[in-house]
């Protein structure tokens, strides 16, 4: 289950149930709709190909602020990532691009976290930052000339950086599987927070998952 607040005006928090199928092969890894394929693994470094859904967008009926606007849809993105795991540290960088030409842009992210064992539970605090390209931000937060109204001016933003902090808890001791709860706080860049479609600068997300190997 993926749940998050949204910065759109008068837009309720969204909860997206995601079917979770976990598969861990020698190189191919599936985690629900997310997939990675390891192409290079020297020591603690892993280089992978990434397939990732983009759960963003809205329908005109979601809020009065979208009245007269075209819907903005979900998409699927793909790209490359690097992960480095020395001891309890987790460092990663990745870049993904829209594969379905929905928004025709890309995202790039860098994150670092540290795993702390507390009995049967592990705690993982982390920080990161995500860059969203001009095409991405304009598609999801921009207002075209045809969509502009006196109360909703035309808006053409550029790319922006969104810092985030996270705290995850996970354990292997429940029902014979892996349970993970991750809380993420994101602060959006000015190109997003200044949009006439938004009324907040921050959001809070919850990701709860359970997986069991068969």
């Amino acid at each position: 289950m993926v749940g998050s607040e949204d910065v759109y005006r008068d837009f309720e928090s969204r909860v997206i149930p995601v079917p979770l199928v976990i598969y861990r092969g020698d190189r191919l890894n599936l985690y629900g709709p997310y997939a990675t394929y390891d192409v290079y693994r020297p020591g603690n470094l892993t280089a992978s190909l990434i397939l990732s859904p983009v759960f963003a967008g809205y329908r005109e009926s979601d809020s009065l602020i979208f009245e007269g606007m075209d819907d903005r849809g979900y998409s699927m993105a793909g790209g490359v990532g690097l992960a480095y795991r020395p001891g309890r540290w987790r460092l990663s960088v990745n870049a993904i691009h829209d594969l379905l030409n929905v928004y025709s842009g890309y995202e790039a992210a860098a994150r670092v976290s540290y795993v702390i064992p507390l009995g049967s539970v592990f705690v993982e605090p982390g920080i990161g930052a995500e860059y969203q390209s001009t095409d991405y931000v304009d598609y999801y937060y921009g207002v075209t000339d045809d969509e502009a109204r006196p109360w909703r001016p035309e808006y053409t933003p550029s790319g922006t950086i969104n810092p985030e902090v996270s705290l995850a808890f996970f354990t292997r001791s429940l029902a014979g599987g892996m349970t993970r709860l991750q809380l993420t706080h994101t602060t959006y860049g000015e190109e997003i927070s200044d949009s006439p479609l938004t009324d907040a600068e921050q959001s809070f997300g919850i990701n709860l998952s359970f997986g069991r190997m068969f």
Side-chain angles (χ1 to χ4, degrees):
M1 179 188 72
V2 178
S4 67
E5 295 178 328
D6 217 304
V7 292
Y8 291 121
R9 293 179 183 272
D10 302 320
F11 192 97
E12 296 182 0
S13 300
R14 70 176 83 200
V15 177
I16 303 172
V18 179
L20 190 63
V21 177
I22 298 176
Y23 171 80
R24 295 188 182 278
D26 180 50
R27 293 185 178 274
L28 176 64
N29 298 284
L30 303 178
Y31 191 78
Y34 303 87
T36 63
Y37 184 82
D38 300 341
V39 295
Y40 188 55
R41 294 182 302 202
N44 294 321
L45 181 67
T46 301
S48 305
L49 301 178
I50 300 171
L51 189 65
S52 175
V54 178
F55 294 123
Y58 53 80
R59 296 181 179 178
E60 182 183 1
S61 59
D62 286 337
S63 170
L64 290 176
I65 194 64
F66 305 135
E67 182 180 349
M69 296 189 67
D70 293 334
D71 295 345
R72 306 304 201 259
Y74 295 165
S75 190
M76 182 67 70
V80 295
L82 286 175
Y84 182 53
R85 297 190 170 189
R88 296 177 184 171
W89 287 98
R90 304 288 185 265
L91 298 91
S92 66
V93 294
N94 64 68
I96 55 175
H97 191 277
D98 180 18
L99 298 178
L100 304 181
N101 290 324
V102 174
Y103 58 88
S104 302
Y106 69 92
E107 300 174 83
R111 297 181 174 91
V112 58
S113 62
Y114 186 78
V115 178
I116 304 170
L118 296 175
S120 62
V121 177
F122 296 83
V123 181
E124 186 178 356
I127 59 173
E130 183 176 54
Y131 174 79
Q132 294 173 328
S133 72
T134 296
D135 288 331
Y136 181 103
V137 179
D138 188 34
Y139 178 76
Y140 287 115
Y141 299 99
V143 179
T144 67
D145 178 62
D146 291 340
E147 296 170 332
R149 302 290 187 272
W151 43 271
R152 186 182 61 213
E154 180 181 1
Y155 185 65
T156 307
S158 58
T160 195
I161 296 176
N162 308 315
E164 66 180 40
V165 294
S166 63
L167 183 63
F169 304 88
F170 57 96
T171 180
R172 298 182 178 87
S173 62
L174 294 178
M178 168 71 80
T179 302
R180 181 181 178 91
L181 172 66
Q182 179 163 321
L183 313 174
T184 304
H185 180 273
T186 303
T187 302
Y188 291 90
E190 291 184 357
E191 296 296 324
I192 293 176
S193 61
D194 287 348
S195 169
L197 304 179
T198 66
D199 61 359
E201 299 178 353
Q202 304 174 350
S203 71
F204 183 74
I206 300 176
N207 187 317
L208 176 63
S209 63
F210 174 80
R212 186 172 181 178
M213 303 299 290
F214 295 94

PDB file of all heavy atoms in Angstrom, residues 5-27:
ATOM      1  N   GLU A   5       0.134  12.378   1.113  1.00  0.00           N
ATOM      2  CA  GLU A   5      -0.536  13.666   0.988  1.00  0.00           C
ATOM      3  C   GLU A   5      -0.160  14.236  -0.377  1.00  0.00           C
ATOM      4  O   GLU A   5       0.808  13.820  -0.994  1.00  0.00           O
ATOM      5  CB  GLU A   5      -0.069  14.617   2.080  1.00  0.00           C
ATOM      6  CG  GLU A   5      -0.427  14.198   3.484  1.00  0.00           C
ATOM      7  CD  GLU A   5       0.121  15.163   4.512  1.00  0.00           C
ATOM      8  OE1 GLU A   5       1.197  15.743   4.265  1.00  0.00           O
ATOM      9  OE2 GLU A   5      -0.514  15.330   5.542  1.00  0.00           O
ATOM     10  N   ASP A   6      -0.941  15.178  -0.853  1.00  0.00           N
ATOM     11  CA  ASP A   6      -0.597  15.803  -2.112  1.00  0.00           C
ATOM     12  C   ASP A   6      -0.622  17.310  -1.956  1.00  0.00           C
ATOM     13  O   ASP A   6      -1.342  17.835  -1.114  1.00  0.00           O
ATOM     14  CB  ASP A   6      -1.559  15.375  -3.227  1.00  0.00           C
ATOM     15  CG  ASP A   6      -0.837  15.216  -4.550  1.00  0.00           C
ATOM     16  OD1 ASP A   6      -0.190  16.191  -4.975  1.00  0.00           O
ATOM     17  OD2 ASP A   6      -0.910  14.130  -5.140  1.00  0.00           O
ATOM     18  N   VAL A   7       0.169  18.004  -2.763  1.00  0.00           N
ATOM     19  CA  VAL A   7       0.262  19.453  -2.639  1.00  0.00           C
ATOM     20  C   VAL A   7      -0.740  20.180  -3.535  1.00  0.00           C
ATOM     21  O   VAL A   7      -0.804  21.398  -3.524  1.00  0.00           O
ATOM     22  CB  VAL A   7       1.693  19.943  -2.961  1.00  0.00           C
ATOM     23  CG1 VAL A   7       2.659  19.467  -1.895  1.00  0.00           C
ATOM     24  CG2 VAL A   7       2.143  19.475  -4.341  1.00  0.00           C
ATOM     25  N   TYR A   8      -1.530  19.439  -4.322  1.00  0.00           N
ATOM     26  CA  TYR A   8      -2.572  20.073  -5.121  1.00  0.00           C
ATOM     27  C   TYR A   8      -3.644  20.683  -4.215  1.00  0.00           C
ATOM     28  O   TYR A   8      -3.956  20.156  -3.149  1.00  0.00           O
ATOM     29  CB  TYR A   8      -3.228  19.060  -6.055  1.00  0.00           C
ATOM     30  CG  TYR A   8      -2.348  18.565  -7.178  1.00  0.00           C
ATOM     31  CD1 TYR A   8      -2.068  17.209  -7.316  1.00  0.00           C
ATOM     32  CD2 TYR A   8      -1.805  19.451  -8.098  1.00  0.00           C
ATOM     33  CE1 TYR A   8      -1.279  16.746  -8.352  1.00  0.00           C
ATOM     34  CE2 TYR A   8      -1.010  19.003  -9.140  1.00  0.00           C
ATOM     35  CZ  TYR A   8      -0.746  17.643  -9.259  1.00  0.00           C
ATOM     36  OH  TYR A   8       0.049  17.205 -10.285  1.00  0.00           O
ATOM     37  N   ARG A   9      -4.252  21.778  -4.652  1.00  0.00           N
ATOM     38  CA  ARG A   9      -5.287  22.449  -3.876  1.00  0.00           C
ATOM     39  C   ARG A   9      -6.535  21.568  -3.750  1.00  0.00           C
ATOM     40  O   ARG A   9      -7.003  21.002  -4.744  1.00  0.00           O
ATOM     41  CB  ARG A   9      -5.687  23.772  -4.543  1.00  0.00           C
ATOM     42  CG  ARG A   9      -4.590  24.827  -4.544  1.00  0.00           C
ATOM     43  CD  ARG A   9      -5.060  26.097  -5.238  1.00  0.00           C
ATOM     44  NE  ARG A   9      -3.978  27.082  -5.305  1.00  0.00           N
ATOM     45  CZ  ARG A   9      -3.718  27.971  -4.359  1.00  0.00           C
ATOM     46  NH1 ARG A   9      -4.500  28.013  -3.280  1.00  0.00           N
ATOM     47  NH2 ARG A   9      -2.721  28.817  -4.486  1.00  0.00           N
ATOM     48  N   ASP A  10      -7.068  21.498  -2.533  1.00  0.00           N
ATOM     49  CA  ASP A  10      -8.321  20.781  -2.272  1.00  0.00           C
ATOM     50  C   ASP A  10      -8.290  19.355  -2.803  1.00  0.00           C
ATOM     51  O   ASP A  10      -9.295  18.830  -3.294  1.00  0.00           O
ATOM     52  CB  ASP A  10      -9.508  21.527  -2.900  1.00  0.00           C
ATOM     53  CG  ASP A  10      -9.630  22.942  -2.373  1.00  0.00           C
ATOM     54  OD1 ASP A  10      -9.433  23.138  -1.163  1.00  0.00           O
ATOM     55  OD2 ASP A  10      -9.900  23.856  -3.190  1.00  0.00           O
ATOM     56  N   PHE A  11      -7.122  18.732  -2.712  1.00  0.00           N
ATOM     57  CA  PHE A  11      -6.933  17.377  -3.205  1.00  0.00           C
ATOM     58  C   PHE A  11      -6.721  16.474  -2.001  1.00  0.00           C
ATOM     59  O   PHE A  11      -5.820  16.684  -1.201  1.00  0.00           O
ATOM     60  CB  PHE A  11      -5.708  17.320  -4.128  1.00  0.00           C
ATOM     61  CG  PHE A  11      -5.580  16.032  -4.908  1.00  0.00           C
ATOM     62  CD1 PHE A  11      -6.033  15.958  -6.207  1.00  0.00           C
ATOM     63  CD2 PHE A  11      -4.998  14.903  -4.341  1.00  0.00           C
ATOM     64  CE1 PHE A  11      -5.904  14.784  -6.941  1.00  0.00           C
ATOM     65  CE2 PHE A  11      -4.861  13.732  -5.062  1.00  0.00           C
ATOM     66  CZ  PHE A  11      -5.322  13.664  -6.365  1.00  0.00           C
ATOM     67  N   GLU A  12      -7.585  15.458  -1.847  1.00  0.00           N
ATOM     68  CA  GLU A  12      -7.472  14.568  -0.701  1.00  0.00           C
ATOM     69  C   GLU A  12      -6.233  13.677  -0.829  1.00  0.00           C
ATOM     70  O   GLU A  12      -5.745  13.413  -1.922  1.00  0.00           O
ATOM     71  CB  GLU A  12      -8.728  13.692  -0.594  1.00  0.00           C
ATOM     72  CG  GLU A  12     -10.003  14.478  -0.319  1.00  0.00           C
ATOM     73  CD  GLU A  12     -11.195  13.584  -0.166  1.00  0.00           C
ATOM     74  OE1 GLU A  12     -11.024  12.350  -0.274  1.00  0.00           O
ATOM     75  OE2 GLU A  12     -12.295  14.109   0.047  1.00  0.00           O
ATOM     76  N   SER A  13      -5.755  13.201   0.315  1.00  0.00           N
ATOM     77  CA  SER A  13      -4.634  12.271   0.318  1.00  0.00           C
ATOM     78  C   SER A  13      -5.003  11.041  -0.511  1.00  0.00           C
ATOM     79  O   SER A  13      -6.132  10.562  -0.468  1.00  0.00           O
ATOM     80  CB  SER A  13      -4.289  11.850   1.748  1.00  0.00           C
ATOM     81  OG  SER A  13      -3.935  12.978   2.516  1.00  0.00           O
ATOM     82  N   ARG A  14      -4.027  10.522  -1.271  1.00  0.00           N
ATOM     83  CA  ARG A  14      -4.309   9.363  -2.098  1.00  0.00           C
ATOM     84  C   ARG A  14      -3.717   8.103  -1.476  1.00  0.00           C
ATOM     85  O   ARG A  14      -2.639   8.126  -0.882  1.00  0.00           O
ATOM     86  CB  ARG A  14      -3.785   9.571  -3.521  1.00  0.00           C
ATOM     87  CG  ARG A  14      -2.289   9.564  -3.663  1.00  0.00           C
ATOM     88  CD  ARG A  14      -1.899   9.691  -5.131  1.00  0.00           C
ATOM     89  NE  ARG A  14      -1.901  11.061  -5.587  1.00  0.00           N
ATOM     90  CZ  ARG A  14      -1.976  11.412  -6.866  1.00  0.00           C
ATOM     91  NH1 ARG A  14      -2.086  10.510  -7.796  1.00  0.00           N
ATOM     92  NH2 ARG A  14      -1.951  12.697  -7.193  1.00  0.00           N
ATOM     93  N   VAL A  15      -4.443   7.012  -1.613  1.00  0.00           N
ATOM     94  CA  VAL A  15      -3.965   5.703  -1.177  1.00  0.00           C
ATOM     95  C   VAL A  15      -4.049   4.776  -2.380  1.00  0.00           C
ATOM     96  O   VAL A  15      -5.114   4.616  -2.980  1.00  0.00           O
ATOM     97  CB  VAL A  15      -4.803   5.140  -0.020  1.00  0.00           C
ATOM     98  CG1 VAL A  15      -4.325   3.747   0.345  1.00  0.00           C
ATOM     99  CG2 VAL A  15      -4.727   6.059   1.194  1.00  0.00           C
ATOM    100  N   ILE A  16      -2.913   4.174  -2.747  1.00  0.00           N
ATOM    101  CA  ILE A  16      -2.848   3.322  -3.923  1.00  0.00           C
ATOM    102  C   ILE A  16      -2.488   1.907  -3.489  1.00  0.00           C
ATOM    103  O   ILE A  16      -1.365   1.660  -3.042  1.00  0.00           O
ATOM    104  CB  ILE A  16      -1.807   3.832  -4.933  1.00  0.00           C
ATOM    105  CG1 ILE A  16      -2.124   5.278  -5.332  1.00  0.00           C
ATOM    106  CG2 ILE A  16      -1.765   2.947  -6.172  1.00  0.00           C
ATOM    107  CD1 ILE A  16      -1.045   5.932  -6.174  1.00  0.00           C
ATOM    108  N   PRO A  17      -3.442   0.958  -3.572  1.00  0.00           N
ATOM    109  CA  PRO A  17      -3.093  -0.429  -3.268  1.00  0.00           C
ATOM    110  C   PRO A  17      -2.263  -1.006  -4.413  1.00  0.00           C
ATOM    111  O   PRO A  17      -2.676  -0.952  -5.577  1.00  0.00           O
ATOM    112  CB  PRO A  17      -4.456  -1.125  -3.151  1.00  0.00           C
ATOM    113  CG  PRO A  17      -5.381  -0.276  -3.952  1.00  0.00           C
ATOM    114  CD  PRO A  17      -4.864   1.125  -3.897  1.00  0.00           C
ATOM    115  N   VAL A  18      -1.091  -1.520  -4.092  1.00  0.00           N
ATOM    116  CA  VAL A  18      -0.184  -2.029  -5.112  1.00  0.00           C
ATOM    117  C   VAL A  18       0.024  -3.517  -4.888  1.00  0.00           C
ATOM    118  O   VAL A  18       0.503  -3.924  -3.820  1.00  0.00           O
ATOM    119  CB  VAL A  18       1.176  -1.308  -5.060  1.00  0.00           C
ATOM    120  CG1 VAL A  18       2.114  -1.873  -6.125  1.00  0.00           C
ATOM    121  CG2 VAL A  18       1.000   0.189  -5.251  1.00  0.00           C
ATOM    122  N   PRO A  19      -0.362  -4.377  -5.839  1.00  0.00           N
ATOM    123  CA  PRO A  19      -0.098  -5.809  -5.665  1.00  0.00           C
ATOM    124  C   PRO A  19       1.407  -6.048  -5.575  1.00  0.00           C
ATOM    125  O   PRO A  19       2.179  -5.531  -6.380  1.00  0.00           O
ATOM    126  CB  PRO A  19      -0.702  -6.436  -6.931  1.00  0.00           C
ATOM    127  CG  PRO A  19      -0.838  -5.321  -7.906  1.00  0.00           C
ATOM    128  CD  PRO A  19      -0.997  -4.066  -7.122  1.00  0.00           C
ATOM    129  N   LEU A  20       1.795  -6.833  -4.578  1.00  0.00           N
ATOM    130  CA  LEU A  20       3.217  -6.983  -4.291  1.00  0.00           C
ATOM    131  C   LEU A  20       3.642  -8.418  -4.545  1.00  0.00           C
ATOM    132  O   LEU A  20       3.277  -9.335  -3.803  1.00  0.00           O
ATOM    133  CB  LEU A  20       3.507  -6.588  -2.839  1.00  0.00           C
ATOM    134  CG  LEU A  20       4.979  -6.463  -2.453  1.00  0.00           C
ATOM    135  CD1 LEU A  20       5.647  -5.362  -3.249  1.00  0.00           C
ATOM    136  CD2 LEU A  20       5.105  -6.179  -0.966  1.00  0.00           C
ATOM    137  N   VAL A  21       4.382  -8.632  -5.606  1.00  0.00           N
ATOM    138  CA  VAL A  21       4.976  -9.922  -5.895  1.00  0.00           C
ATOM    139  C   VAL A  21       6.488  -9.754  -5.830  1.00  0.00           C
ATOM    140  O   VAL A  21       7.058  -8.922  -6.542  1.00  0.00           O
ATOM    141  CB  VAL A  21       4.561 -10.440  -7.286  1.00  0.00           C
ATOM    142  CG1 VAL A  21       5.256 -11.755  -7.596  1.00  0.00           C
ATOM    143  CG2 VAL A  21       3.051 -10.613  -7.361  1.00  0.00           C
ATOM    144  N   ILE A  22       7.126 -10.511  -4.952  1.00  0.00           N
ATOM    145  CA  ILE A  22       8.561 -10.386  -4.772  1.00  0.00           C
ATOM    146  C   ILE A  22       9.265 -11.572  -5.416  1.00  0.00           C
ATOM    147  O   ILE A  22       8.890 -12.725  -5.176  1.00  0.00           O
ATOM    148  CB  ILE A  22       8.942 -10.313  -3.281  1.00  0.00           C
ATOM    149  CG1 ILE A  22       8.326  -9.070  -2.641  1.00  0.00           C
ATOM    150  CG2 ILE A  22      10.448 -10.285  -3.103  1.00  0.00           C
ATOM    151  CD1 ILE A  22       8.576  -8.969  -1.155  1.00  0.00           C
ATOM    152  N   TYR A  23      10.238 -11.262  -6.240  1.00  0.00           N
ATOM    153  CA  TYR A  23      11.063 -12.314  -6.828  1.00  0.00           C
ATOM    154  C   TYR A  23      12.513 -11.850  -6.793  1.00  0.00           C
ATOM    155  O   TYR A  23      12.829 -10.743  -7.217  1.00  0.00           O
ATOM    156  CB  TYR A  23      10.652 -12.589  -8.280  1.00  0.00           C
ATOM    157  CG  TYR A  23      11.619 -13.512  -8.999  1.00  0.00           C
ATOM    158  CD1 TYR A  23      11.562 -14.888  -8.809  1.00  0.00           C
ATOM    159  CD2 TYR A  23      12.596 -12.996  -9.850  1.00  0.00           C
ATOM    160  CE1 TYR A  23      12.458 -15.733  -9.452  1.00  0.00           C
ATOM    161  CE2 TYR A  23      13.492 -13.830 -10.501  1.00  0.00           C
ATOM    162  CZ  TYR A  23      13.423 -15.193 -10.296  1.00  0.00           C
ATOM    163  OH  TYR A  23      14.311 -16.026 -10.927  1.00  0.00           O
ATOM    164  N   ARG A  24      13.359 -12.689  -6.268  1.00  0.00           N
ATOM    165  CA  ARG A  24      14.777 -12.375  -6.219  1.00  0.00           C
ATOM    166  C   ARG A  24      15.548 -13.469  -6.945  1.00  0.00           C
ATOM    167  O   ARG A  24      15.662 -14.597  -6.449  1.00  0.00           O
ATOM    168  CB  ARG A  24      15.262 -12.244  -4.770  1.00  0.00           C
ATOM    169  CG  ARG A  24      14.651 -11.071  -4.025  1.00  0.00           C
ATOM    170  CD  ARG A  24      15.286 -10.863  -2.673  1.00  0.00           C
ATOM    171  NE  ARG A  24      14.668  -9.772  -1.935  1.00  0.00           N
ATOM    172  CZ  ARG A  24      14.954  -8.484  -2.114  1.00  0.00           C
ATOM    173  NH1 ARG A  24      15.863  -8.137  -3.012  1.00  0.00           N
ATOM    174  NH2 ARG A  24      14.353  -7.546  -1.397  1.00  0.00           N
ATOM    175  N   GLY A  25      16.033 -13.156  -8.114  1.00  0.00           N
ATOM    176  CA  GLY A  25      16.840 -14.095  -8.874  1.00  0.00           C
ATOM    177  C   GLY A  25      18.307 -13.731  -8.771  1.00  0.00           C
ATOM    178  O   GLY A  25      18.709 -12.897  -7.949  1.00  0.00           O
ATOM    179  N   ASP A  26      19.116 -14.343  -9.592  1.00  0.00           N
ATOM    180  CA  ASP A  26      20.535 -14.043  -9.578  1.00  0.00           C
ATOM    181  C   ASP A  26      20.791 -12.589  -9.964  1.00  0.00           C
ATOM    182  O   ASP A  26      21.641 -11.911  -9.383  1.00  0.00           O
ATOM    183  CB  ASP A  26      21.274 -14.992 -10.529  1.00  0.00           C
ATOM    184  CG  ASP A  26      22.769 -14.729 -10.549  1.00  0.00           C
ATOM    185  OD1 ASP A  26      23.375 -14.656  -9.459  1.00  0.00           O
ATOM    186  OD2 ASP A  26      23.333 -14.564 -11.657  1.00  0.00           O
ATOM    187  N   ARG A  27      20.024 -12.088 -10.944  1.00  0.00           N
ATOM    188  CA  ARG A  27      20.186 -10.698 -11.384  1.00  0.00           C
ATOM    189  C   ARG A  27      18.873  -9.935 -11.449  1.00  0.00           C
ATOM    190  O   ARG A  27      18.844  -8.725 -11.260  1.00  0.00           O
ATOM    191  CB  ARG A  27      20.874 -10.639 -12.758  1.00  0.00           C
ATOM    192  CG  ARG A  27      22.323 -11.124 -12.732  1.00  0.00           C
ATOM    193  CD  ARG A  27      23.006 -10.930 -14.065  1.00  0.00           C
ATOM    194  NE  ARG A  27      24.400 -11.348 -14.016  1.00  0.00           N
ATOM    195  CZ  ARG A  27      25.401 -10.571 -13.618  1.00  0.00           C
ATOM    196  NH1 ARG A  27      25.158  -9.323 -13.261  1.00  0.00           N
ATOM    197  NH2 ARG A  27      26.631 -11.026 -13.595  1.00  0.00           N
TER     198      ARG A  27
END
